[in-house]
Amino acid sequence: MNPVTLTTKLIAVIGQIQAHSGLDCPQLTGATKPVGNVPGFDSKIWPVATTILSSEIGAPIPNDVNIFVDETTKLPRSIDEIAAFVSEWLRKQAKKEGAE
């Protein structure tokens, strides 16, 4: 899936979660890092956001895949980085399924 499309959908998902939670939502851009920059957006919310995004794009993303924090560096990803990560992850999954 195209990272630009993923960025748009992820911004909408985060905005929706913040609105439903009654929390403030800063202006979201591709450079925004949800972890640390979006009030209340923590490890309890990540699986919810991942599930909603998965539903929005029609592709499964398991909850054990942390799209919000880089596993190697342990640093939060920006929305653009998350979109690129998910795009690449989905590509690898499709390739893996095609090989089976």
Side-chain angles (χ1 to χ4, degrees), residues 21 40 48 51 57 64 71 78 83 98:
S21 301
V48 175
T51 300
I57 64 173
D64 64 346
E71 284 186 27
S78 70

Side-chain angles (χ1 to χ4, degrees), residues 24-92:
D24 288 334
C25 187
Q27 178 71 29
L28 299 173
T29 68
T32 304
K33 293 184 178 185
V35 177
N37 294 121
V38 177
F41 199 87
D42 58 21
S43 60
K44 294 177 185 171
I45 302 299
W46 303 344
V48 175
T50 301
T51 300
I52 295 170
L53 179 63
S54 178
S55 175
E56 288 287 321
I57 64 173
I61 305 170
N63 283 336
D64 64 346
V65 175
N66 187 344
I67 65 174
F68 296 98
V69 176
D70 186 298
E71 284 186 27
T72 306
T73 65
K74 306 298 182 205
L75 295 173
R77 291 185 173 114
S78 70
I79 290 175
D80 281 344
E81 290 168 335
I82 295 165
F85 172 81
V86 171
S87 178
E88 181 64 15
W89 188 86
L90 291 172
R91 188 189 65 74
K92 286 179 182 175

